[in-house]
Amino acid sequence: MNPILLVTGGSRGIGAATARLAATRGWDVAVNYTRDAAAASAVAAEVRAAGRRAWVLQADVADDAQVVAMFQALDREAGVLAGLVNNAGVVDVAARVDEMSAARWQRMFAINVFGTFACSREAVRRMSTRDGGGPWKATGGGRGGVIVNLSSAAARLGSPGQYVDYAAAKGAIDVFTLGLAKEVAAEGVRVNAVRPGLIETEIHASGGQPDRARQLAPQVPMQRTGTAEEVAAAIVWLLSDESSYTTASMLDVAGGR
Ligand code: NAP
């Protein structure tokens, strides 16, 4: 049986590229999404075309009950989880902090931060070898696993005048990655983060700036934007045994920015 991977926000962009590449590297893949069922199903079809099993799971990662239900569905339909990519994430329109609403901050942290916390909690409950599989184990699993979190170069840059709230949320992801990695390092679970730079996906349009990545490309030392596939390659390496001694790491995939 192939190892099972859950990619949150797997319906497009970096998550979809990760699902596709992971399938070619031997993973069965569960594709999570919130709104676009057709796009998630198309990614799942590509995973199956690569000869792997695939599942499509709708859940808003910001909703704790939906996250719990998604992992329970995975237990029933797929089996023991071996990998999690906490990829689901959002930006908001460019604004200064003194223009932002509390509702915006709530959404920013609910999806980007608490969604990652909740999915990681459920994954560790299934992956950790602690006590050799205690009664709290949902699946009788406890065979170890790997978690990759999507941070951002914004966590280093701060994104002034654009979205300091998003950058701060990704800063929280970096610290969460460090702490959780050390907490579960002796329990067979590795936890790392990838910090993409300016990557050509639809996330920029969702923040009202479809050309943002291309416009800022001259600021990148490599003088170009990155692709979702280039980020996926780093994520899939961190999922693989080739990175077996790598945990609590932040991997910048940002062209030197
Ligand atoms: P994207 O193209 O906008 O895709 C986002 C994905 O997340 C979609 O599949 C979307 O699915 C899903 N999603 C959004 N809210 C969700 C929720 N509440 N619950 C579950 N799924 C949800 O984004 P991307 O550019 O690929 O970014 C992926 C990750 O990389 C994000 O964490 C982002 O912050 C990070 N990142 C991106 C860049 C970049 O330049 N693109 C740079 C640094 C970091 P639905 O459409 O179905 O809701």
Side-chain angles (χ1 to χ4, degrees):
M1 199 68 90
N2 300 318
I4 295 165
L5 172 68
L6 170 63
V7 182
T8 68
S11 58
R12 60 170 191 266
I14 293 167
T18 300
R20 287 189 205 102
L21 182 62
T24 70
R25 302 290 164 82
W27 291 88
D28 290 342
V29 186
V31 180
N32 157 257
Y33 73 101
T34 42
R35 289 172 303 175
D36 195 343
S41 295
V43 174
E46 291 182 78
V47 169
R48 291 188 194 106
R52 309 296 169 199
R53 296 186 300 164
W55 304 268
V56 175
L57 297 168
Q58 182 182 27
D60 178 352
V61 297
D63 183 323
D64 201 51
Q66 290 188 34
V67 169
V68 169
M70 172 169 67
F71 277 81
Q72 289 171 343
L74 255 183
D75 294 341
R76 282 192 309 273
E77 295 170 26
V80 179
L81 190 72
L84 167 67
V85 180
N86 280 310
N87 168 80
V90 293
V91 296
D92 209 320
V93 295
R96 290 168 47 97
V97 171
D98 57 15
E99 297 165 341
M100 292 177 187
S101 68
R104 170 182 167 136
W105 294 333
Q106 295 285 352
R107 171 176 174 266
M108 191 60 57
F109 273 68
I111 297 173
N112 294 346
V113 180
F114 302 142
T116 293
F117 288 7
C119 290
S120 299
R121 179 195 63 208
E122 294 306 310
V124 168
R125 283 178 175 170
R126 288 158 176 80
M127 294 172 177
S128 170
T129 58
R130 191 159 66 120
D131 291 350
W136 71 92
K137 301 284 186 200
T139 63
R143 300 174 201 162
V146 194
I147 298 173
V148 180
N149 296 326
L150 267 291
S151 174
S152 170
R156 292 185 280 104
L157 300 169
S159 305
Q162 292 259 306
Y163 23 65
V164 170
D165 54 345
Y166 171 82
K170 293 301 188 179
I173 293 302
D174 284 2
V175 179
F176 179 72
T177 300
L178 275 181
L180 180 63
K182 292 173 183 176
E183 194 166 284
V184 298
E187 299 170 15
V189 183
R190 294 188 296 113
V191 187
N192 293 288
V194 170
R195 288 195 291 220
L198 294 166
I199 311 301
E200 297 272 8
T201 72
E202 293 170 30
I203 202 169
H204 308 291
S206 69
Q209 306 176 78
D211 293 328
R212 178 175 177 270
R214 270 180 302 257
Q215 280 168 359
L216 294 177
Q219 294 181 12
V220 179
M222 285 180 73
Q223 297 289 296
R224 67 169 178 87
T225 57
T227 66
E229 287 71 26
E230 289 175 306
V231 181
I235 294 169
V236 172
W237 176 74
L238 285 168
L239 289 170
S240 78
D241 287 342
E242 289 181 8
S243 63
S244 54
Y245 199 53
T246 303
T247 198
S249 291
M250 317 291 138
L251 179 49
D252 291 318
V253 185
R257 185 163 175 256

